[in-house]
Amino acid sequence: MMKRILVSLFIGMSLLTLTGCWDTKDIQDIQYISAMGIDYRNGQYDIYVQVTSFAGVAKQESMEPKPTPVWVAKGSGKTINAAMNDIYKRSNQYVYWAHVQLIIFSENLLKHGLDQVNDPILRFQQIRETTWLYGTDDSLEKILFVNSLSGSSVQTSIFNPEDIYKLRSYVAPIRVQSFYTQNYESGMTVKLPKVSLLPEVWKKQGGSKNTVKLTGSYLIKNNQLKAKIANKHLSGLRWLTKSTVRSPVAVKVNEDTSVEMSLIRPKFNIKPIFMNDKVAFDISIKVNGVVRDMEGNIPLPILKDKVENVLAKEIRSTYTYALEKGTDIYNLEETVYREDVKKWKSIFGNDFTLGEDSIRNIKVDVTIEQTGDYKYEFMN
């Protein structure tokens, strides 16, 4: 009898030590922030947050899925934390930030500078370092209202930029961790992808749908905006970006002959050449190519030469355009810093300048690996 009593007491005391789930909440009782935009106007910060509703996630599998409702709220304050606290005041549920997948900086904020933004973002434990970063000159509110064709706000291309980038590499997507690592690195100019709202891109009977697309890049150095460059002027950047997977190039051989190619994973080297108190740069690139579409008969050596000339021209054209904007788009200063930090300090210090002739040579070597189903008969 005594043994049974002792066992019962032991079990009872053990149950008291078990942790419970008294403070758990159902997902429909929590406001999950999936995206946020940060603006700066009239001396204060405006934060826009996108909230995705999970009220219908417990539907039976046999039921037809419905579009996920998207809500956007706005908070304002003299500081980022004050603006976030304003969001709390306006919310009628628990606000959870750990599912933020992207942050968009407005152009006004970039012009103002990021000094007062970096610390709150990096210190806030719920915002992950894998969050994607963008910039825009469009309405943050309208961008956050855009959803995919299936009605989901978190299935658009800006939430999943790597999938798009693998198919067509142009401006590389960037995460919080990479952005701030580069931002505080000597000689680095960060490329922040610029997104824009494109109205009525997709259409169906009785309606249309807006979309958000990558349209260029903001170039930022030491927390300050240096330039805004559209995609049409960034064609050379992709060939000097380590993360480039595949990117298209069009080659016009003559009036009647053109070729569409995909170039894959370029490997490049930028070599600084010191000459007294100046520095020049030699650039070499190796890349493999695949023919996607060909009009007319083109000898392989001629095609190879044409593609190499196109790449060299694009690299120099992008460099010249960025130079006119006063920015170092290829991070040439950073290569000097890595090559010889003592010379970087003694020769340039805080006054590193580039000229049109700073890029001395561009050597491109293209290997055409595949021609598709078309048998290449013009090898000579």
Side-chain angles (χ1 to χ4, degrees):
M1 183 68 179
M2 181 61 68
K3 185 176 180 181
R4 290 182 180 179
I5 293 174
L6 290 173
V7 171
S8 299
L9 287 172
F10 177 77
I11 294 174
M13 294 178 67
S14 299
L15 290 174
L16 290 174
T17 62
L18 294 176
T19 58
C21 300
W22 309 107
D23 60 345
T24 58
K25 298 179 183 294
D26 292 331
I27 58 175
Q28 64 265 26
D29 297 328
I30 301 175
Q31 289 186 339
Y32 290 93
I33 309 298
S34 53
M36 62 186 293
I38 306 177
D39 194 8
Y40 184 83
R41 291 179 183 274
N42 303 320
Q44 71 174 10
Y45 295 93
D46 296 329
I47 291 183
Y48 296 83
V49 295
Q50 179 193 81
V51 178
T52 303
S53 171
F54 288 91
V57 297
K59 302 291 185 181
Q60 296 181 359
E61 293 183 4
S62 59
M63 296 183 67
E64 183 179 352
K66 295 181 179 180
T68 306
V70 176
W71 298 85
V72 176
K74 175 185 175 183
S76 302
K78 290 292 184 180
T79 65
I80 294 295
N81 284 323
M84 294 177 74
N85 286 330
D86 196 35
I87 295 290
Y88 296 139
K89 288 192 298 184
R90 299 171 185 275
S91 175
N92 57 3
Q93 290 178 302
Y94 180 78
V95 177
Y96 192 62
W97 300 82
H99 287 295
V100 172
Q101 296 183 51
L102 64 88
I103 300 173
I104 307 174
F105 295 149
S106 75
E107 190 170 306
N108 288 333
L109 176 67
L110 295 175
K111 289 179 179 178
H112 174 68
L114 299 175
D115 300 87
Q116 303 303 315
V117 177
N118 299 339
D119 195 63
I121 290 178
L122 293 175
R123 285 185 185 274
F124 191 30
Q125 295 180 347
Q126 285 191 25
I127 294 182
R128 302 178 183 180
E129 294 182 346
T130 55
T131 301
W132 298 110
L133 279 182
Y134 299 96
T136 189
D137 55 6
D138 281 336
S139 165
L140 291 171
E141 186 177 69
K142 291 181 179 179
I143 288 178
L144 293 179
F145 270 123
V146 172
N147 53 24
S148 69
L149 298 182
S150 61
S152 171
S153 63
V154 296
Q155 290 181 339
T156 59
S157 60
I158 59 174
F159 280 88
N160 305 283
E162 286 182 313
D163 294 338
I164 304 299
Y165 189 70
K166 289 176 183 178
L167 296 175
R168 186 179 184 273
S169 302
Y170 226 83
V171 177
I174 192 167
R175 298 183 188 270
V176 165
Q177 182 184 32
S178 297
F179 179 86
Y180 286 110
T181 298
Q182 295 177 36
N183 190 43
Y184 292 110
E185 193 73 33
S186 297
M188 288 289 288
T189 299
V190 189
K191 271 72 76 176
L192 179 69
K194 176 181 179 291
V195 293
S196 300
L197 182 68
L198 303 182
E200 299 184 354
V201 172
W202 293 94
K203 296 184 178 181
K204 66 177 182 179
Q205 188 175 3
S208 60
K209 186 176 288 292
N210 300 340
T211 191
V212 180
K213 289 294 184 182
L214 178 69
T215 57
S217 180
Y218 289 104
L219 277 69
I220 299 166
K221 186 176 182 180
N222 298 327
N223 292 322
Q224 299 300 315
L225 177 63
K226 295 297 182 181
K228 175 176 68 173
I229 302 180
N231 273 348
K232 64 181 180 180
H233 299 296
L234 292 173
S235 56
L237 178 62
R238 51 192 172 157
W239 312 127
L240 297 181
T241 301
K242 292 180 180 179
S243 58
T244 295
V245 179
R246 179 174 67 182
S247 199
V249 63
V251 181
K252 191 173 181 63
V253 180
N254 51 49
E255 292 297 327
D256 302 319
T257 307
S258 61
V259 177
E260 295 285 341
M261 294 188 63
S262 289
L263 300 184
I264 302 168
R265 300 187 185 280
K267 297 180 180 179
F268 63 91
N269 179 60
I270 301 176
K271 179 68 176 176
I273 309 297
F274 294 98
M275 300 173 292
N276 298 322
D277 60 343
K278 295 183 179 180
V279 63
F281 300 88
D282 288 344
I283 299 175
S284 58
I285 307 167
K286 291 185 177 181
V287 63
N288 296 331
V290 177
V291 176
R292 297 301 183 190
D293 187 22
M294 179 183 294
E295 299 176 4
N297 301 331
I298 308 168
L300 186 60
I302 293 178
L303 177 59
K304 173 180 166 66
D305 183 66
K306 290 289 184 180
V307 177
E308 291 171 350
N309 287 336
V310 167
L311 264 61
K313 184 177 179 180
E314 287 185 352
I315 292 169
R316 196 170 290 278
S317 176
T318 295
Y319 169 77
T320 302
Y321 186 86
L323 189 64
E324 293 173 355
K325 297 282 187 177
T327 187
D328 176 14
I329 195 166
Y330 296 140
N331 287 322
L332 300 180
E333 181 181 1
E334 193 262 345
T335 63
V336 176
Y337 175 82
R338 294 294 180 189
E339 181 78 12
D340 196 326
V341 66
K342 291 184 178 179
K343 284 189 177 181
W344 175 79
K345 288 182 177 179
S346 62
I347 298 176
F348 306 107
N350 295 322
D351 189 29
F352 184 87
T353 56
L354 294 167
E356 289 190 13
D357 58 348
S358 292
I359 295 181
R360 191 175 65 169
N361 298 305
I362 301 175
K363 182 180 179 181
V364 182
D365 182 13
V366 176
T367 300
I368 301 176
E369 288 186 328
Q370 301 177 26
T371 58
D373 293 333
Y374 179 76
K375 184 178 180 181
Y376 213 123
E377 299 177 351
F378 303 93
M379 301 297 291
N380 301 314

